[in-house]
């Protein structure tokens, strides 16, 4: 490898590390602000999966660009004030409430809000869970209990949701006993993932 190729490789690695750190910083800044304001919340999505997986095997953690937070709708205004105080800008687009990380931020550079006890999409079988019962993980922020998180992932059932379920199966946090505690079609979805670990 030439010196120039090595330099470019280092630069690419630095950018990748920087991207991960920006997501982590955004996650911590937003959750610290919500906690300080006394607002019930729970981290969901890929960061919540990573928090659970990291307790078993740090090397199995998958990075994510998304910061998804579950809030009760009645707390949105108070949350907006708390997040604005640490640099986030509220935006609503295509029915999605988010908080951009500064005036020049893209929608990827945002905290995305999911409302507790409401369906994320009208066609979903179940609503999102409540924030009650959220537990502190990684010593920093509150995440959904594992069963609630798995139900959310199975309800959404996108490719990345199924991959997150595979991550939980890989570290043995989810196993063949779990379909028995899932409702409706979620049990079948989970059973299919368990029976087809490679997709």
């Amino acid at each position: 490898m030439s010196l120039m190729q090595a330099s470019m490789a280092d630069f690419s690695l630095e950018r990748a590390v920087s991207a991960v750190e920006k997501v982590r910083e955004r996650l911590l800044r937003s959750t610290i602000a919500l906690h300080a304001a006394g607002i019930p919340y729970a981290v969901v999505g890929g960061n919540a999966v990573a928090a659970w997986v990291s307790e078993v095997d740090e090397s199995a953690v998958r990075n994510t660009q998304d910061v998804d937070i579950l809030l009760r709708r009645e707390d949105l205004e108070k949350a907006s004030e708390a997040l604005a105080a640490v640099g986030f800008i509220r935006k609503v687009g295509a029915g999605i409430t988010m908080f951009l990380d500064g005036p020049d931020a893209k929608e990827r550079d945002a905290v995305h809000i999911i409302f507790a006890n409401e369906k994320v999409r009208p066609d979903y079988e179940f609503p999102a869970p409540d924030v009650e019962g959220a537990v502190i993980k990684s010593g920093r922020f509150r995440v959904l209990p594992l069963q609630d998180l798995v139900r959310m992932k199975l309800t959404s059932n996108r490719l990345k949701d199924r991959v997150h379920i595979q991550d939980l199966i890989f570290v043995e946090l989810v196993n063949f006993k779990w379909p028995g505690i899932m409702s409706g079609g979620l049990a079948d979805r989970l059973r299919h993932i368990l029976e087809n670990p490679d997709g």
Side-chain angles (χ1 to χ4, degrees):
M1 181 183 293
S2 71
L3 181 59
M4 181 175 179
Q5 288 173 321
S7 297
M8 289 186 71
D10 289 343
F11 179 71
S12 296
L13 179 59
E14 287 174 8
R15 287 175 63 89
V17 170
S18 175
V20 171
E21 283 301 312
K22 285 177 181 177
V23 172
R24 179 177 177 275
E25 191 276 336
R26 189 175 305 129
L27 171 66
L28 294 178
R29 182 159 39 98
S30 58
T31 54
I32 288 170
L34 293 171
H35 178 78
I39 300 168
Y41 76 90
V43 173
V44 294
N47 283 298
V49 173
W52 279 102
V53 168
S54 68
E55 291 196 335
V56 181
D57 184 353
E58 287 186 345
S59 68
V61 171
R62 188 182 303 274
N63 293 320
T64 180
Q65 291 184 323
D66 299 324
V67 176
D68 299 317
I69 293 181
L70 186 72
L71 287 176
R72 293 174 181 147
R73 188 175 289 276
E74 60 264 30
D75 291 326
L76 180 59
E77 294 308 318
K78 189 176 178 183
S80 295
E81 293 175 8
L83 293 171
V86 292
F88 289 98
I89 299 170
R90 182 173 165 182
K91 177 182 178 181
V92 178
I96 300 171
T97 300
M98 66 187 76
F99 290 87
L100 300 176
D101 196 356
D104 299 321
K106 301 174 184 175
E107 291 187 0
R108 297 279 306 181
D109 306 323
V111 173
H112 296 91
I113 301 300
I114 296 167
F115 290 111
N117 306 305
E118 298 182 18
K119 289 186 177 183
V120 177
R121 293 177 48 167
D123 59 321
Y124 279 5
E125 188 175 1
F126 299 104
D130 192 56
V131 295
E132 186 177 356
V135 293
I136 294 176
K137 292 290 175 187
S138 305
R140 297 286 186 95
F141 50 83
R142 299 173 66 83
V143 305
L144 279 183
L146 188 56
Q147 286 186 24
D148 287 341
L149 180 61
V150 170
R151 285 188 186 98
M152 283 193 76
K153 287 289 172 185
L154 291 170
T155 298
S156 296
N157 200 38
R158 299 162 298 180
L159 175 59
K160 68 178 179 179
D161 298 306
R162 296 191 295 273
V163 169
H164 285 149
I165 296 292
Q166 288 175 328
D167 291 345
L168 294 168
I169 293 168
F170 178 75
V171 297
E172 300 181 351
L173 285 170
V174 173
N175 56 42
F176 277 94
K177 295 179 181 178
W178 277 66
I181 60 174
M182 294 290 123
S183 303
L186 303 188
D188 291 335
R189 290 176 183 175
L190 180 54
R191 195 174 291 107
H192 179 78
I193 297 171
L194 284 160
E195 292 172 351
N196 299 275
D198 298 322

